[in-house]
Amino acid sequence: MNKRWIQTIGAGMLAAVLTFGQMQPTALADEASSVTVVESSHELVNGKMQVSFDVRNGGSGTEAGFVVVGYDESGKAIEVVGDSAYLMSNEIETFEVALKSGSKIKDVKVLPAGQAGSQAVLLESGTRTENGSIEVSGAVQNANEGRRVGMMAVGYDASGKAVEVKSAYSYMTSGEVTTYGIKLKAVNLIKSVKVSVIDSTEDAVKLLQTGSRLENGKLIITGSIQNRNEGGRVGVIIVGSNSNGKVVEVNTTTGYLTDKEIANFEAELEAGKAISGVKVFLTGSSQTPKIIAEGRTRINNKLVVTIGVENGTKAQRITVKSTAYDAKGRSLGSETDSMYMLDHETTTLRIDYDSRVSSVKLKYYDEAGREIGAEPIRIKINGQLQSYAQAPIMVNGSVLVPMRPIFESLQASVKWDQKSQTVNSTKGSTKIKLKMGSKQASVNGKGVALDIAPRSVKGTTMVPLRFVAAALGCEVKWDKNEQMVLITTK
């Protein structure tokens, strides 16, 4: 018999300068499996638990997988090692594994893996605290074809909030079993850990999971992402807002990922406790430069502005013009700065102002001198993109659209009374009335308060889209990333 030594393999975790799925069911061999563990033994040697076992393949040649699990005195799995080897028909091989937990391990089980299926599975996982971190180990079995597969660990605090996320990955051959090791740093906060396998067949960039925690007065955000089926730059923008929804601080990270690569990211927001909400956006697909978000806060009584910028398909220099004002609204002058960005690069621009500055106005320009503005607001009705002579506008969080096109697109009649400056619309038994400049409308004679009044823009009467669509029985959704209103008629 041959003897093989097996070691825990910690797949290289990517720290980028850049969903958590349900836990996969354990896929261990049943009685009908041709792969069996014939005999096993374990003993403490030089501080490690040495496990020796024989694996027999009773069927035709196959990739034979197995898992070694070490348990503490309470029966909790604290360390896991998995591996596999190709065994010929009726071949028996002896394997040896060294579990680092040593004397902490009170019981050991060696289990054969089952046959590979169409998806990778998490066979077993274990967690233990060691050297000031939480050590997570897991055995993953690949599907029946080779591909990149990963494992993700999410640490939760006592309230069930995700506070830290990390992943590891490698290329696995058909049916292969391997071990992943992940370290979580937030040992004082984490009360429970969930482990899952990452095996996506979708051709898309995916945000797998994020976590956040306060540490030394800063908000630390960690997460994992998986790239699409081809290599390219992928960026992450983290937007922190206060309790009123105002963006306080923005941070970004970016990097080049190969096809299906899985990466970890970590970012800091200095505002810390001032941030009550965090949103994370993936970037890397824009055709033109975009300003994703601006954050404004005061640090040591000085205004600090952070800006998340995503470049388009062309490497170029992006310029920002900043005009500062004092507390009385008097201009303190303008300054310009620029930065060179690679194609599809995402970066953070930070500007620190002196104590005289109360507010600022910012403008951005591409290399050709064109101003970079907010993405135009678009409207889709039942999946069809709409086109209006006067573009929709956003005013105080409400989208206004041209009166006649929107009513007619929703199969409603519309009449304009010039004398009373009133819009009247009818669809079936529904009657709607709006008046220019008034925040009071009516639906079937019943008064309805509007967030914003209808108004004239360049000679076009503009009406609040959400009110009109909802009054006509439509479902309305806002896609912030795409700056698009999605309307579905009923």
Side-chain angles (χ1 to χ4, degrees), residues 193-489:
V193 176
K194 289 187 179 180
V195 184
S196 63
V197 71
I198 304 169
D199 183 22
S200 172
T201 56
E202 298 174 41
D203 184 15
V205 183
K206 296 181 66 178
L207 178 64
L208 301 171
Q209 179 80 9
T210 62
S212 62
R213 66 186 187 274
L214 276 172
E215 192 172 282
N216 298 323
K218 298 178 180 180
L219 191 64
I220 309 297
I221 296 92
T222 57
S224 295
I225 59 176
Q226 184 175 34
N227 194 25
R228 59 179 75 85
N229 289 340
E230 63 177 343
R233 285 191 180 85
V234 178
V236 177
I237 291 187
I238 299 99
V239 180
S241 303
N242 63 17
S243 57
N244 296 320
K246 177 187 174 184
V247 177
V248 173
E249 189 174 355
V250 179
N251 203 348
T252 63
T253 182
T254 189
Y256 186 93
L257 302 184
T258 56
D259 61 291
K260 284 296 179 183
E261 184 176 349
I262 299 165
N264 297 312
F265 66 86
E266 181 170 323
E268 293 181 354
L269 297 180
E270 289 186 47
K273 291 182 179 180
I275 296 172
S276 60
V278 174
K279 292 184 179 179
V280 180
F281 304 96
L282 294 180
T283 65
S285 59
S286 179
Q287 301 300 302
T288 58
K290 292 170 64 176
I291 308 303
I292 305 297
E294 292 180 1
R296 304 184 185 213
T297 188
R298 302 199 79 85
I299 298 176
N300 297 325
N301 202 34
K302 294 181 179 180
L303 180 64
V304 177
V305 177
T306 47
I307 306 128
V309 185
E310 177 187 4
N311 193 21
T313 55
K314 174 188 174 183
Q316 62 183 304
R317 188 167 295 279
I318 304 297
T319 300
V320 57
K321 179 180 179 181
S322 169
T323 304
Y325 301 87
D326 64 16
K328 295 183 178 180
R330 293 175 298 201
S331 175
L332 297 174
S334 299
E335 293 183 358
T336 59
D337 198 2
S338 64
M339 54 190 171
Y340 185 81
M341 297 184 67
L342 299 173
D343 59 290
H344 294 303
E345 184 181 359
T346 301
T347 192
T348 307
L349 175 63
R350 172 172 169 153
I351 307 173
D352 292 75
Y353 297 90
D354 64 43
S355 57
R356 297 175 302 155
V357 177
S358 178
S359 63
V360 295
K361 288 184 179 179
L362 302 171
K363 288 188 175 183
Y364 309 90
Y365 302 91
D366 65 14
E367 197 166 67
R370 293 183 293 260
E371 186 174 353
I372 303 169
E375 286 289 291
I377 297 169
R378 295 174 294 166
I379 313 294
K380 270 189 178 181
I381 299 176
N382 295 330
Q384 296 296 312
L385 190 63
Q386 305 298 298
S387 178
Y388 305 133
Q390 168 60 50
I393 62 172
M394 178 82 77
V395 180
N396 297 329
S398 295
V399 176
L400 296 173
V401 292
M403 168 194 71
R404 190 167 298 280
I406 188 60
F407 279 111
E408 291 178 348
S409 296
L410 298 175
Q411 290 81 50
S413 67
V414 59
K415 292 183 180 180
W416 168 250
D417 188 323
Q418 179 66 28
K419 186 177 181 179
S420 63
Q421 296 283 289
T422 301
V423 180
N424 291 281
S425 175
T426 302
K427 182 179 181 181
S429 60
T430 302
K431 297 182 183 299
I432 301 172
K433 187 175 183 178
L434 301 103
K435 185 176 177 61
M436 289 288 284
S438 174
K439 286 189 175 183
Q440 190 69 24
S442 69
V443 179
N444 294 331
K446 183 180 291 187
V448 178
L450 303 176
D451 292 329
I452 191 166
R455 64 178 62 186
S456 178
V457 175
K458 297 180 181 179
T460 300
T461 300
M462 307 286 281
V463 294
L465 175 59
R466 181 173 290 278
F467 163 75
V468 170
L472 293 174
C474 303
E475 180 182 349
V476 185
K477 291 183 179 179
W478 169 245
D479 186 331
K480 183 176 181 180
N481 290 340
E482 296 294 332
Q483 291 287 289
M484 183 180 293
V485 180
L486 305 172
I487 299 174
T488 305
T489 61

Side-chain angles (χ1 to χ4, degrees), residues 61-278:
T62 187
E63 186 74 15
F66 48 84
V67 182
V68 179
V69 186
Y71 300 88
D72 66 11
E73 58 187 5
S74 69
K76 174 193 171 187
I78 59 173
E79 189 173 355
V80 171
V81 173
D83 208 328
S84 59
Y86 188 87
L87 299 184
M88 302 292 289
S89 176
N90 295 318
E91 182 180 2
I92 298 176
E93 279 214 45
T94 299
F95 296 87
E96 293 193 356
V97 171
L99 298 179
K100 299 176 183 178
S101 299
S103 60
K104 295 179 182 178
I105 295 174
K106 304 304 179 184
D107 189 24
V108 174
K109 289 184 180 179
V110 183
L111 307 167
Q115 296 295 315
S118 61
Q119 289 284 305
V121 292
L122 177 67
L123 300 175
E124 293 285 347
S125 66
T127 59
R128 67 187 189 276
T129 301
E130 191 171 291
N131 298 324
S133 64
I134 295 177
E135 303 274 351
V136 182
S137 55
V140 173
Q141 182 180 31
N142 189 26
N144 47 24
E145 64 177 32
R147 56 191 183 223
R148 282 180 168 171
V149 177
M151 186 184 83
M152 180 167 61
V154 183
Y156 297 86
D157 65 13
S159 69
K161 175 180 175 289
V163 296
E164 188 173 4
V165 178
K166 281 190 180 174
S167 306
Y169 82 101
S170 65
Y171 183 88
M172 298 179 67
T173 57
S174 172
E176 181 185 355
V177 175
T178 194
T179 307
Y180 291 113
I182 294 173
K183 289 186 178 182
L184 300 178
K185 297 187 292 185
V187 64
N188 295 327
L189 288 176
I190 294 173
K191 302 303 179 185
S192 64
V193 176
K194 289 187 179 180
V195 184
S196 63
V197 71
I198 304 169
D199 183 22
S200 172
T201 56
E202 298 174 41
D203 184 15
V205 183
K206 296 181 66 178
L207 178 64
L208 301 171
Q209 179 80 9
T210 62
S212 62
R213 66 186 187 274
L214 276 172
E215 192 172 282
N216 298 323
K218 298 178 180 180
L219 191 64
I220 309 297
I221 296 92
T222 57
S224 295
I225 59 176
Q226 184 175 34
N227 194 25
R228 59 179 75 85
N229 289 340
E230 63 177 343
R233 285 191 180 85
V234 178
V236 177
I237 291 187
I238 299 99
V239 180
S241 303
N242 63 17
S243 57
N244 296 320
K246 177 187 174 184
V247 177
V248 173
E249 189 174 355
V250 179
N251 203 348
T252 63
T253 182
T254 189
Y256 186 93
L257 302 184
T258 56
D259 61 291
K260 284 296 179 183
E261 184 176 349
I262 299 165
N264 297 312
F265 66 86
E266 181 170 323
E268 293 181 354
L269 297 180
E270 289 186 47
K273 291 182 179 180
I275 296 172
S276 60
V278 174

